[in-house]
Amino acid sequence: MFEYDFMINAFAASGIVAVLAGIVGYFLVLRGQTFAGHALSHVGFTGATGAVLLGVSPIWGMVGFTLAAGIGMGALGEKLAGRDVAIGVILSGALGFGLLFLHFYTSFATQVTALLFGNVLAVSHDTLAVLAGIGAVSLLALALIARPLLFASLQPELAEAKGVSLRTVSMLFLAVCALAVAAATQIVGVLLVFTLLVGPAAAAQNVTTRLSTGVLLAALFALFEAWLGIVLAYHTDWPTSFWITALSALVYGASLLRRT
């Protein structure tokens, strides 16, 4: 298996993305912002199709659009109701532009399929380097905002009374989330981004209420699902994204049994 360069790239890329998605996803689930992750993946698709239309690498269009959308979502609404409205507006607008871009450029069906469902086996050395950079920047940024983020997530009213800007925290976190979504899309695609971003984190929170243990478990669950999914895909010739998604569902189901 490891005699092929594309398999080495696949394991390296999925490892980077799984750890990033698991950790960021834990806070996403903790804050009740899973809808934001879903919306950002669709916004990323619009950015990717727009980038292809302009002759730019899809990953840069995805990163740019998701970052802008994440910051916009955080700026437009820091409370739950406001967030949902802001996310819905940005999501619908992004999907409209995505349709427009596809209308103007319909000759890249293979790339569209890869964007929608992912293709970890096609990750190049250049893409791997980009993913490593995204992972490093995202985790560093998350570490810098971890304390106010946790405070604002668990006790928002008290945090605001203590001078923590909920809007700023939301903007910064959703920017980090946007980078994680852009990275995860390279592995499982736009439609299945919940697989790595939400599934492992939700399972970890079912297993333990301890923050440090939960974050670690979320990363390990995501890593387990990604790597075992690649192995199973290699031996069965079934899509990698299917196996990762199936394993995510199994892990989450097992976590529900543990909670009960």
Side-chain angles (χ1 to χ4, degrees):
M1 182 188 304
F2 291 104
E3 64 268 23
Y4 302 110
D5 283 344
F6 73 89
M7 290 299 296
I8 296 174
N9 286 348
F11 274 95
S14 61
I16 293 169
V17 170
V19 171
L20 174 62
I23 294 173
V24 174
Y26 186 89
F27 289 97
L28 192 70
V29 174
L30 183 67
R31 289 172 59 82
Q33 289 184 296
T34 54
F35 181 39
H38 174 73
L40 286 171
S41 66
H42 287 74
V43 171
F45 175 74
T46 301
T49 54
V52 171
L53 184 62
L54 296 174
V56 180
S57 174
I59 191 171
W60 292 117
M62 185 170 293
V63 169
F65 266 60
T66 53
L67 265 178
I71 294 172
M73 290 176 188
L76 289 175
E78 72 269 19
K79 297 187 183 299
L80 183 60
R83 284 204 310 257
D84 285 347
V85 171
I87 291 169
V89 170
I90 292 175
L91 173 60
S92 59
L95 289 177
F97 276 105
L99 178 61
L100 178 65
F101 295 155
L102 286 176
H103 171 75
F104 284 123
Y105 196 80
T106 58
S107 60
F108 62 110
T110 301
Q111 287 178 287
V112 170
T113 301
L115 288 171
L116 290 176
F117 299 104
N119 189 4
V120 67
L121 299 181
V123 172
S124 65
H125 291 293
D126 290 340
T127 302
L128 181 59
V130 172
L131 291 177
I134 290 175
V137 170
S138 300
L139 291 178
L140 177 60
L142 187 61
L144 292 175
I145 66 170
R147 289 179 65 86
L149 174 64
L150 185 60
F151 194 14
S153 301
L154 297 179
Q155 295 180 308
E157 293 82 6
L158 180 58
E160 192 170 27
K162 292 289 186 179
V164 175
S165 173
L166 299 184
R167 188 182 299 272
T168 300
V169 169
S170 181
M171 289 172 60
L172 292 174
F173 173 67
L174 285 176
V176 173
C177 182
L179 292 176
V181 166
T185 302
Q186 305 302 308
I187 307 302
V188 293
V190 168
L191 298 181
L192 302 176
V193 72
F194 263 30
T195 297
L196 288 178
L197 199 63
V198 175
Q205 291 188 21
N206 285 337
V207 172
T208 180
T209 57
R210 291 177 59 88
L211 177 66
S212 57
T213 305
V215 171
L216 178 61
L217 278 178
L220 290 176
F221 285 160
L223 193 62
F224 165 77
E225 294 160 11
W227 281 357
L228 183 56
I230 293 174
V231 172
L232 292 172
Y234 179 81
H235 289 290
T236 63
D237 201 30
W238 291 9
T240 307
S241 295
F242 160 75
W243 281 117
I244 296 175
T245 303
L247 289 169
S248 180
L250 286 174
V251 170
Y252 180 73
S255 73
L256 290 176
L257 296 176
R258 170 64 184 270
R259 187 173 68 174
T260 57

